[in-house]
């Protein structure tokens, strides 16, 4: 992939490229990559390091098919336990169902090294395209994606530099948007509840945008509560109890996702806290679960199904030759839903 998105991707890397860069024969490279044959440890380490730095992935399609691609689209996402990604897959499937392309899914659990392994295996089958969640990847993953010579669409986030095409929302802008809405409703003593954000880059960007908007109005997050692991109602209830016990004067709680926000709302209803008069609440993602709660949690719809559809359309159009250039950029606009927990002043 070149820096100029109007230039078609370069050809996929071959054994010869690794051979020339490492200074050993193609046969030796082949033995190392297949983990066969008598090759010294020093040569093996050298070849593997060069292959990784180049982003080389072996081609598992043998014989006459070796120069071909299969009608598969590699979809690399953190997990299916997070409620947002099944909806992304729904959007991808809706579009690809009308083509010869078939999605195959790999999971990273938000771990960069797991993403490297998933991409290595998937790219070795020479798919027709890749859809991968997020813009942050290890150097090895970026090298593989750039060297693959196929359409790559990074999804969910547009705040950063894309490898090729990108479809998503600006999480920083989303954070600013919800902060401004909270401020307009008169809340001032604000708490934040969410992941520890070490590897949840999108949550971190929302938090950065959120705190930036508060700072412009002379406000700051007064207390925070963090958790590790998957989102869950029980964690939301526990975290909400903890932060209110520690900071009872808070008048608004902003949750990094709807699942813990829903747990927080349940805690407030169980303990008789006046929502939204005494305490306002808001989450993020707009998951369908919220429709079954006694009160509707304020949230932002992150356009998950539309992101999946748009990404799949790009892959399908480029795989068919309908579109020959790369570098598409599609920015969705998340929609604020006030629900019953973010009071609105009447005009």
């Amino acid at each position: 992939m070149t820096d100029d998105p109007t230039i078609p991707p370069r050809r996929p890397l071959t054994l010869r490229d690794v051979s020339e860069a490492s200074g050993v024969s193609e046969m030796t490279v082949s033995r190392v990559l297949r983990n066969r044959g008598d090759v010294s440890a020093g040569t093996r380490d050298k070849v593997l390091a060069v292959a990784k730095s180049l982003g080389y992935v072996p081609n598992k399609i043998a014989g006459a098919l070796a120069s071909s691609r299969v009608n598969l689209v590699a979809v690399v996402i953190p997990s299916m336990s997070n409620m947002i990604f099944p909806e992304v897959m729904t959007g991808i499937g809706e579009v690809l169902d009308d083509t010869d392309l078939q999605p195959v899914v790999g999971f990273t659990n938000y771990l960069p090294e797991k993403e490297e392994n998933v991409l290595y295996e998937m790219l070795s089958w020479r798919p027709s395209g890749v859809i991968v969640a997020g813009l942050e990847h290890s150097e090895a993953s970026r090298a593989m994606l750039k060297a693959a010579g196929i359409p790559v669409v990074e999804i969910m986030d547009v705040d950063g530099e894309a490898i090729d095409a990108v479809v998503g929302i600006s999480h920083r802008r989303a954070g600013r948007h919800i902060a401004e809405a909270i401020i307009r409703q008169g809340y001032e003593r604000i708490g934040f509840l969410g992941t520890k954000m070490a590897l949840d880059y999108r949550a971190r960007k929302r938090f950065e945008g959120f705190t930036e908007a508060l700072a412009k109005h002379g406000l700051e997050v007064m207390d925070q509560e963090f958790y590790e692991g998957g989102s869950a109602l029980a964690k939301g209830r526990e975290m909400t109890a903890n932060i209110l016990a520690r900071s009872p004067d808070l008048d608004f709680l902003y949750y990094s996702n709807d699942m813990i926000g829903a747990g927080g709302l349940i805690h407030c209803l169980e303990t008789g806290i006046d929502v939204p008069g005494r305490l306002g609440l808001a989450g993020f993602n707009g998951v369908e679960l919220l429709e079954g709660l006694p009160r509707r949690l304020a949230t932002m719809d992150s356009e998950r199904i539309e992101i999946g559809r748009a990404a799949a359309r790009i892959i399908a159009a480029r795989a068919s030759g309908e579109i020959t250039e790369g570098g598409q950029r599609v920015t969705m606009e998340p929609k604020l839903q006030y629900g019953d927990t973010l009071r609105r002043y009447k005009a």
Side-chain angles (χ1 to χ4, degrees):
M1 191 69 61
T2 63
D3 291 334
D4 185 350
T6 64
I7 299 175
R10 67 182 182 182
R11 63 172 176 78
L13 294 171
T14 65
L15 280 178
R16 177 175 294 181
D17 296 312
V18 181
S19 170
E20 292 176 350
S22 59
V24 302
S25 69
E26 290 183 43
M27 182 175 293
T28 299
V29 172
S30 177
R31 286 173 178 167
V32 170
L33 296 178
R34 290 185 294 118
N35 199 26
R36 295 181 182 175
D38 185 14
V39 181
S40 71
T43 298
R44 183 178 301 277
D45 291 343
K46 180 179 180 181
V47 169
L48 291 175
V50 168
K52 183 174 183 177
S53 67
L54 292 176
Y56 176 77
V57 177
N59 190 342
K60 288 186 176 177
I61 305 175
L65 292 177
S67 62
S68 302
R69 299 205 176 278
V70 295
N71 288 336
L72 299 177
V73 176
V75 182
V76 183
I77 56 179
S79 73
M80 290 291 273
S81 61
N82 187 326
M83 295 182 69
I84 69 173
F85 290 107
E87 294 190 33
V88 173
M89 290 305 305
T90 295
I92 291 171
E94 285 178 3
V95 172
L96 296 187
D97 278 349
D98 294 329
T99 72
D100 293 330
L101 301 172
Q102 178 69 35
V104 290
V105 187
F107 304 107
T108 69
N109 298 323
Y110 293 96
L111 299 174
E113 62 273 19
K114 183 72 179 295
E115 183 179 77
E116 286 182 21
N117 295 335
V118 169
L119 284 171
Y120 186 87
E121 288 300 320
M122 285 188 159
L123 291 174
S124 71
W125 292 101
R126 296 302 188 262
S128 295
V130 178
I131 297 173
V132 57
L135 291 167
E136 286 76 21
H137 315 283
S138 69
E139 289 186 8
S141 290
R142 290 186 69 84
M144 283 188 282
L145 290 167
K146 288 182 177 180
I150 57 176
V152 174
V153 184
E154 292 164 288
I155 60 171
M156 312 306 293
D157 188 7
V158 298
D159 292 323
E161 182 181 350
I163 291 169
D164 178 9
V166 61
V167 179
I169 67 169
S170 168
H171 286 267
R172 287 194 178 91
R173 188 161 64 239
R176 291 194 295 268
H177 191 177
I178 187 65
E180 289 161 358
I182 292 168
I183 292 166
R184 284 196 300 270
Q185 304 310 311
Y187 297 105
E188 296 181 341
R189 299 182 300 279
I190 299 164
F192 174 80
L193 304 90
T195 67
K196 290 191 174 179
M197 298 184 286
L199 294 173
D200 192 345
Y201 299 103
R202 294 180 288 281
R204 185 191 306 171
K205 291 172 185 177
R206 287 198 302 278
F207 184 69
E208 289 170 354
F210 184 76
T211 55
E212 287 169 5
L214 293 183
K216 289 182 179 179
H217 293 268
L219 300 175
E220 61 182 15
V221 172
M222 297 185 65
D223 198 358
Q224 304 176 53
E225 183 80 11
F226 296 102
Y227 74 99
E228 291 181 307
S231 307
L233 291 172
K235 286 185 178 178
R237 295 169 72 177
E238 177 185 347
M239 293 166 68
T240 303
N242 290 343
I243 198 171
L244 291 178
R246 193 168 58 239
S247 302
D249 291 336
L250 294 175
D251 64 7
F252 200 94
L253 300 180
Y254 175 47
Y255 299 83
S256 67
N257 63 67
D258 287 339
M259 288 298 291
I260 56 172
L265 175 58
I266 291 172
H267 170 79
C268 292
L269 295 177
E270 287 178 338
T271 55
I273 296 174
D274 177 15
V275 177
R278 155 72 183 83
L279 183 69
L281 310 172
F284 183 82
N285 276 323
V287 298
E288 189 175 351
L289 166 76
L290 302 183
E291 297 178 4
L293 295 175
R295 296 188 193 177
R296 188 71 179 269
L297 180 71
T299 186
M300 294 191 80
D301 183 353
S302 56
E303 301 292 317
R304 299 171 302 283
I305 292 181
E306 283 304 319
I307 286 173
R309 288 171 181 156
R313 289 190 195 105
I314 291 171
I315 294 289
R318 289 174 59 180
S320 68
E322 179 183 345
I323 297 176
T324 56
E325 73 279 2
Q328 290 78 16
R329 189 176 186 89
V330 180
T331 301
M332 306 287 182
E333 192 63 40
K335 300 177 181 65
L336 176 62
Q337 301 172 358
Y338 281 83
D340 302 314
T341 66
L342 178 57
R343 67 173 178 257
R344 285 179 284 185
Y345 290 131
K346 294 181 180 180

